[in-house]
Amino acid sequence: MGVARAGYSVKVLRVILGIFFIFLGIAGVSPDIGEGSFFQLSRNHNDLEVIFGIVEIICGALLLLGLFLFLGANVVKFAGVVVLIFWMIRIILTRFVWGINFISNGNINVINMLEWFLYLSCELLIFTAIWIVIQRYD
C-alpha cells in the first residue's frame, strides 16, 4: 500500500512540476511579464531568458505528457535529465555567475545574502523534486 501511495505522490509531483515549468517558461518568453530569473539580473539577458523560457515550456510539457502518453521509460527519463541539467545551469548562472550581489566593497549585505540563500534553497528544492521524479518514474 505504501508503494502505491509513493507512486501517486510522484505523479502529483510531476503534475505540479510540469505546470510550474510551463508557467515559468511563459514568464520567461513574455516581454510583458518580465518576471523570469534572468530578467531581474540584467536587461542584457533577454535572449537567454527567452531560450530558457522555451526550454522550460517544453520540459513542463514533457513532464505532463509522460503521464498521459505511453512514452517509453527511457524517453521520459531522458526528458527528466534534460530538465535537471537546464535547471542546474539556471541555478549556476542566476545564483553564482550573476547572482552574488550581497558583497559590496568587501562588506556583506545581510538582507541580500538572506534573500540569495532563500532563492537558492527554493531552486534546490525544485532540483530535488526533479531528481525524485526521474528516479521514481513509473
Side-chain angles (χ1 to χ4, degrees), residues 33-93:
I33 297 175
E35 289 299 325
S37 63
F38 297 109
F39 179 84
Q40 295 173 351
L41 297 172
S42 169
R43 295 274 186 207
N44 298 332
H45 301 300
N46 286 341
D47 293 338
L48 191 58
E49 184 72 44
V50 170
I51 291 167
F52 268 78
I54 291 169
V55 171
E56 288 160 351
I57 291 169
I58 292 169
C59 291
L62 287 173
L63 285 168
L64 292 174
L65 287 175
L67 290 169
F68 304 109
L69 300 177
F70 294 108
L71 300 173
N74 290 336
V75 172
V76 176
K77 283 191 177 195
F78 176 76
V81 170
V82 169
V83 173
L84 193 69
I85 290 169
F86 269 90
W87 193 253
M88 182 51 68
I89 292 169
R90 180 187 179 108
I91 290 172
I92 290 168
L93 290 176

Side-chain angles (χ1 to χ4, degrees), residues 2-129:
V3 174
R5 286 187 182 171
Y8 179 73
S9 298
V10 172
K11 287 181 182 179
V12 170
L13 185 58
R14 285 178 64 191
V15 169
I16 292 168
L17 280 172
I19 292 169
F20 168 77
F21 275 106
I22 289 172
F23 282 112
L24 185 66
I26 291 169
V29 172
S30 175
D32 296 329
I33 297 175
E35 289 299 325
S37 63
F38 297 109
F39 179 84
Q40 295 173 351
L41 297 172
S42 169
R43 295 274 186 207
N44 298 332
H45 301 300
N46 286 341
D47 293 338
L48 191 58
E49 184 72 44
V50 170
I51 291 167
F52 268 78
I54 291 169
V55 171
E56 288 160 351
I57 291 169
I58 292 169
C59 291
L62 287 173
L63 285 168
L64 292 174
L65 287 175
L67 290 169
F68 304 109
L69 300 177
F70 294 108
L71 300 173
N74 290 336
V75 172
V76 176
K77 283 191 177 195
F78 176 76
V81 170
V82 169
V83 173
L84 193 69
I85 290 169
F86 269 90
W87 193 253
M88 182 51 68
I89 292 169
R90 180 187 179 108
I91 290 172
I92 290 168
L93 290 176
T94 60
R95 295 295 140 225
F96 296 100
V97 174
W98 300 310
I100 297 179
N101 62 352
F102 53 84
I103 300 173
S104 177
N105 297 327
N107 297 320
I108 295 177
N109 181 325
V110 176
I111 301 298
N112 286 349
M113 183 178 73
L114 292 174
E115 182 181 84
W116 184 87
F117 277 112
L118 177 65
Y119 282 119
L120 177 64
S121 298
C122 292
E123 290 170 341
L124 290 175
L125 281 169
I126 294 166
F127 179 86
T128 304

